[in-house]
Amino acid sequence: MLKTVAKPHTFRRWLATLAFAAMFGLPAIASAQVVVVANGSPITAYDIEQRSKLLASSSHKTPPRQDVINELINERIEIAKAKTYGLEIKDKDVDKAFTTMALRQHITVAQFSQLLGRTGIEPSTVKARLRAQMTWSELVRGKFGPSLEVGDSDVANALRARNETESAAESVGFIYTLYPIMIVIQRDSPAAFVEAKRREAETLRTRFVACKEGLNYARAMRDVAVREPVTRSSADLTPALRDLLGSMPMGHLTTPDATPQGLQMFALCGKKETKTDSPIKHELREKIFNERFEAQSKRYLDEIRKEAMIEYKEAR
């Protein structure tokens, strides 16, 4: 990440330089310039530029260059430390996280990559940050797991601090039984075909008014897969999905969502109350855990950073 986001003409000039270098077998000096080395891992000017663009795309303001460098240094140190414990995140797990980011925006991976490209961000830049985040999270959880655990007494204390009663917190939990239904669409299918399948999904939703008959009808459809049922606690759902399932009639389908495999819907076929962990309690568990994780993460990073070998290759 740079102090300022690269201007279009600057970026074009960089591309021209890179193309010229590739044509004549010369190094792309600007992009390959090493700015700092952290535990033997180089951080280049291009790494900084790319991360700066990535952060600016979400915050809508250009971060200070040194802040960007510090973030990249921290990630190199975190990954190096994880390797000493034999912890490395697999490429397929990073790709899965990247796909999830795309799906949350209701677009395909290809569309997400194109969206990034329009702002000058390489998908590899996003994946590098995802890899670092996933690596550090697993390392901290694995090393400090017991101290991060949130017990019932912690939740009870948090409830009292919020002036919530145990009975009020336990009265709104549900366990849902859902059948995933997928209308399969091959990758790179024509837009007209995809639209036709979306109409099929809406027709299925209209006819699906009871689970037994609806599931049998769905199984008889072409290019439709009905998978084994899953159970989900309302405490584990996002507020939007919790509200949706809470207001849905039993035996109906959710709206279709685009996935890499096609259009996915869920049939609501079971709903029962539970007092195991209500949404309020789950929210508090998450809050307490995140606070403990962030505090422990900062302490551990400060500790390993003091031991790290950090060498700047440019004047500061």
Side-chain angles (χ1 to χ4, degrees):
M1 290 172 276
L2 296 173
K3 190 172 183 180
T4 57
V5 176
K7 297 179 181 178
H9 68 271
T10 303
F11 188 59
R12 286 196 296 270
R13 189 162 60 243
W14 176 82
L15 286 176
T17 302
L18 184 62
F20 181 85
M23 185 182 303
F24 292 97
L26 301 174
I29 298 173
S31 63
Q33 178 187 355
V34 175
V35 176
V36 60
V37 178
N39 278 1
S41 181
I43 297 170
T44 66
Y46 184 64
D47 294 329
I48 299 168
E49 176 186 340
Q50 281 284 294
R51 182 59 64 88
S52 181
K53 289 180 179 180
L54 179 59
L55 294 177
S57 70
S58 58
S59 65
H60 305 294
K61 61 181 180 180
T62 303
R65 187 170 188 265
Q66 189 57 47
D67 287 355
V68 176
I69 292 174
N70 284 335
E71 180 174 293
L72 290 168
I73 289 173
N74 289 344
E75 290 179 359
R76 298 298 201 276
I77 293 171
E78 291 165 358
I79 289 175
K81 190 64 176 180
K83 285 182 178 179
T84 66
Y85 289 95
L87 172 60
E88 292 190 61
I89 301 299
K90 296 180 180 178
D91 290 344
K92 66 177 183 179
D93 294 324
V94 176
D95 290 340
K96 184 178 179 180
F98 186 78
T99 299
T100 299
M101 288 183 69
L103 295 178
R104 285 175 178 169
Q105 300 180 61
H106 305 289
I107 56 178
T108 65
V109 171
Q111 290 170 331
F112 185 39
S113 297
Q114 291 170 1
L115 182 64
L116 290 170
R118 286 198 289 271
T119 58
I121 301 170
E122 292 290 335
S124 58
T125 298
V126 179
K127 290 182 180 182
R129 194 178 194 217
L130 285 171
R131 185 186 301 278
Q133 291 172 338
M134 294 164 70
T135 300
W136 185 241
S137 178
E138 284 204 21
L139 178 59
V140 174
R141 287 170 184 262
K143 188 173 178 61
F144 303 102
S147 67
L148 301 176
E149 291 178 0
V150 181
D152 291 340
S153 60
D154 298 315
V155 175
N157 291 334
L159 283 170
R160 284 193 291 271
R162 285 176 39 158
N163 294 320
E164 297 273 4
T165 65
E166 288 281 341
S167 58
E170 292 175 345
S171 62
V172 290
F174 293 95
I175 297 294
Y176 295 106
T177 300
L178 306 170
Y179 278 80
I181 298 177
M182 178 71 71
I183 295 183
V184 181
I185 301 175
Q186 298 297 326
R187 289 180 180 271
D188 302 320
S189 294
F193 180 82
V194 174
E195 183 57 32
K197 287 298 183 182
R198 189 171 290 279
R199 288 195 296 269
E200 285 184 21
E202 292 299 338
T203 299
L204 177 58
R205 286 189 70 223
T206 301
R207 299 191 60 168
F208 204 111
V209 293
C211 280
K212 183 178 180 180
E213 294 79 4
L215 292 172
N216 288 336
Y217 178 77
R219 290 188 178 102
M221 292 177 65
R222 183 178 179 181
D223 298 329
V224 174
V226 179
R227 295 179 175 150
E228 291 300 308
V230 295
T231 57
R232 292 289 183 270
S233 167
S234 58
D236 297 325
L237 304 176
T238 63
L241 187 53
R242 190 185 306 146
D243 292 342
L244 172 64
L245 293 177
S247 61
M248 260 183 68
M250 190 69 65
H252 283 61
L253 287 176
T254 61
T255 55
D257 285 326
T259 75
Q261 291 77 41
L263 298 174
Q264 181 168 266
M265 299 172 284
F266 291 92
L268 176 57
C269 297
K271 176 181 177 181
K272 63 180 181 180
E273 289 190 14
T274 177
K275 294 186 177 181
T276 303
D277 206 6
S278 69
I280 293 176
K281 285 187 173 183
H282 183 75
E283 175 192 337
L284 289 173
R285 286 185 192 278
E286 288 283 305
K287 182 175 182 292
I288 296 169
F289 177 86
N290 289 335
E291 288 173 350
R292 290 180 179 178
F293 180 90
E294 289 301 322
Q296 183 61 70
S297 175
K298 184 179 184 306
R299 285 194 295 269
Y300 190 38
L301 179 58
D302 288 343
E303 175 187 326
I304 64 175
R305 180 151 179 155
K306 291 176 183 176
E307 304 169 352
M309 298 292 292
I310 303 171
E311 181 184 2
Y312 281 85
K313 298 296 186 178
E314 66 175 18
R316 299 176 62 187

